[in-house]
Amino acid sequence: MTGTWGGKVVLVTGAASGVGRGVVLAAAAAGASVALAVRRPATAAAVVDEVAALHGGGETRVVPCDLMQPGAAAAAVAETLAQLGRLDAIVHSATSNASSQPIALEDADLDGWAEHRTIAVDATVELARAAHGALQATRGSLLVMTSPAGIAGNDRLPFYAMAKGAQRGLVKALAREWGPDGIRVNALAPLAMSPAMQSAFAAEPRLEDAVVGSISLGYFGDAERDVAPAALFLCSDDARYVTGQTLVVNGGRFTSL
Amino acid sequence: MTVVAVVGSHTPVGGRIAERLEARGATVVDLARAADEPRVAAVLHADVDPAVYEDTRLADLTPERWQALCARPIDAALATAWAAFELLATGEGRPGRGGVLGFVCPTVAMTGAAGQVAASTAGEAIRLLAKSAARRWGRFGITSNAFALDLDPGHGADGDRLQVHATALAADDLDPADDVASLLLYLSAPGAARLTGATFTADGGELMTP
């Protein structure tokens, strides 16, 4: 897919690390210009340097975007259009900082749910409303990062499961609504090493062995090499007949879809 | 005598289910009174606001409407879940005797539909609440399931939902309230203790998930 994104623009939320970083690097390597939407702009500096070291990549812009703030997602879309002139894909990868923090449902409260909902769900709607016209002009694509937890539920991450499930419902409905406008909407459920997972494994070393043991392909995915190509595929013309779907990219750990 | 707390008996869907539960011999109470009933066997969240299922396109989903059509229904389902836990949870010195938690969800949560972004989003969040509660609260004697009903009267040009009903029942005899009531009472019986985390679709076979 190298070079097929020349002249195109991708907006990535959660772009400073994990899957978001992986998508930024893959999109840039394929020739796209990329807007990195991040809560703290300084955190994106390393990714910007990595893109600059690539050959043939387009421009990058760092767009401050605190998704907990109403209007921030829409502002990120507007800034991307102002600086890069068009929008071909949005990859919504940002997630709550509490995503991997276990909670007991019976001890949780609405405040805890509100953060998950705001970033995963409300922000997706705001991004979509703001970007509709631009995506319609390019017959572009919205891709939302979800999780198998949003399909099967989770006993220790109930709010994360609810948020990821909500995203899947949103993706399906929006795909049907936007199909006549030529805009595709999909979800991708990845498994890739992230700073949060590294922290969790450091705290509980046996956990990593247990997780890897349940992955059919036998290794933890890499955001750039294993997940991002699938994300770019879903956003590309190669997937022009794919919409409303969830692609699970986790080495065969989850096969219950 | 099975005692069921129904949240949303003031709504058309919740009210019909409550009626069918009573017709089948159950005592139906609202959640506020349930704490006075020592024998509550089930809590059903059937708080279905018809406004959520009106055709509302994304362009019309202002932040205020989004709160009303999506955020608040999810918050309400969470409130019911927590209240149900207090009533039903057993073990670790808790006063409950175990029981059944149920959530009415729209089938559009599983399929999506144009004009139903809020309903699909909220519905799927609630269905995942049901599953996550099943995984977490089984240890407290609580089973948790979803009942998926066709709550969207519009039925836009939606591929999945153009399937004809599989049942021989006439189209105007497809009120699922009786099915939900009878299934909830069955789930409240001892023999159904392993039925948890499921979604039971009561729509005459219109939607058949993989």
Side-chain angles (χ1 to χ4, degrees):
Chain A
M1 211 178 295
T2 301
T4 58
W5 283 79
K8 296 188 178 182
V9 175
V10 182
L11 168 62
V12 182
T13 71
S17 64
V19 170
R21 168 188 166 275
V23 172
V24 170
L25 294 176
S33 294
V34 187
L36 290 74
V38 293
R39 186 159 54 99
R40 296 189 303 271
T43 62
V47 185
V48 171
D49 289 344
E50 288 183 275
V51 173
L54 296 171
H55 297 295
E59 302 174 57
T60 56
R61 296 286 189 278
V62 177
V63 178
C65 181
D66 181 356
L67 293 175
M68 288 298 295
Q69 301 303 315
V77 171
E79 187 66 15
T80 300
L81 291 170
Q83 296 208 31
L84 295 173
R86 59 183 285 158
L87 189 57
D88 297 271
I90 297 177
V91 179
H92 183 33
S93 181
T95 188
S96 164
N97 287 332
S99 291
S100 57
Q101 295 171 10
I103 57 165
L105 179 59
E106 63 272 18
D107 297 330
D109 58 28
L110 285 178
D111 287 341
W113 163 240
E115 180 176 337
H116 285 270
R117 193 205 70 231
T118 300
I119 295 176
V121 184
D122 299 352
T124 304
V125 171
E126 190 175 317
L127 286 167
R129 282 168 52 87
H132 175 262
L135 291 176
Q136 186 175 22
T138 61
R139 298 184 69 81
S141 176
L142 170 63
L143 180 65
V144 180
M145 292 297 166
T146 183
S147 166
I151 301 170
N154 192 287
D155 67 329
R156 293 188 296 173
L157 301 173
F159 288 162
Y160 180 71
M162 289 173 64
K164 292 302 165 182
Q167 286 180 319
R168 287 197 349 113
L170 195 161
V171 159
K172 293 178 186 183
L174 197 57
R176 291 191 180 276
E177 188 166 311
W178 276 5
D181 298 337
I183 306 169
R184 296 179 300 104
V185 187
N186 289 292
L188 189 153
L191 178 64
M193 190 59 75
S194 66
M197 279 187 195
Q198 287 173 325
S199 298
F201 293 157
E204 196 173 333
R206 289 177 301 176
L207 181 61
E208 183 172 5
D209 289 342
V211 173
V212 172
S214 66
I215 301 172
S216 176
L217 291 178
Y219 70 94
F220 236 101
D222 177 85
E224 185 184 356
R225 288 195 307 271
D226 298 309
V227 177
L232 284 191
F233 161 74
L234 286 173
C235 294
S236 75
D237 288 341
D238 287 341
R240 61 183 175 272
Y241 207 52
V242 180
T243 193
Q245 305 303 307
T246 296
L247 180 63
V248 181
V249 184
N250 73 350
R253 185 171 186 235
F254 178 83
T255 56
S256 302
L257 190 65
Chain B
M1 173 74 68
T2 303
V3 180
V4 180
V6 175
V7 177
S9 56
H10 63 287
T11 67
V13 169
R16 284 203 302 280
I17 296 173
E19 288 171 9
R20 300 319 301 161
L21 283 166
E22 289 178 327
R24 289 181 170 273
T27 297
V28 176
V29 299
D30 61 46
L31 204 54
R33 281 187 44 212
D36 299 327
E37 292 279 350
R39 298 169 293 117
V40 173
V43 176
L44 178 67
H45 185 80
D47 192 2
V48 179
D49 177 2
V52 174
Y53 301 95
E54 294 172 2
D55 189 318
T56 308
R57 302 290 157 145
L58 185 73
D60 298 320
L61 279 174
T62 62
E64 294 72 29
R65 292 205 76 190
W66 182 251
Q67 286 295 310
L69 299 181
C70 183
R72 275 189 228 145
I74 301 173
D75 287 356
L78 279 165
T80 296
W82 286 319
F85 182 82
E86 293 303 316
L87 276 172
L88 302 174
T90 187
E92 299 181 7
R94 298 180 187 278
R97 302 192 302 172
V100 174
L101 175 57
F103 298 89
V104 171
C105 305
T107 52
V108 78
M110 294 182 281
T111 66
Q116 297 290 308
V117 170
S120 295
T121 304
E124 201 64 344
I126 293 170
R127 224 164 58 89
L128 268 296
L129 168 60
K131 292 184 182 184
S132 298
R135 292 186 182 280
R136 173 65 189 174
W137 290 348
R139 70 202 69 193
F140 298 109
I142 298 172
T143 62
S144 174
N145 295 284
F147 302 93
L149 310 181
D150 182 2
L151 298 172
D152 163 27
H155 287 269
D158 190 292
D160 281 7
R161 296 161 71 227
L162 289 177
Q163 298 294 321
V164 297
H165 297 105
T167 176
L169 294 173
D172 59 3
D173 194 21
L174 287 171
D175 184 356
D178 203 44
D179 300 67
V180 174
S182 61
L183 181 55
L184 185 65
L185 293 174
Y186 171 75
L187 291 172
S188 302
R194 292 173 188 78
L195 295 173
T196 193
T199 297
F200 299 102
T201 304
D203 66 352
E206 184 178 1
L207 174 67
M208 296 186 185
T209 53

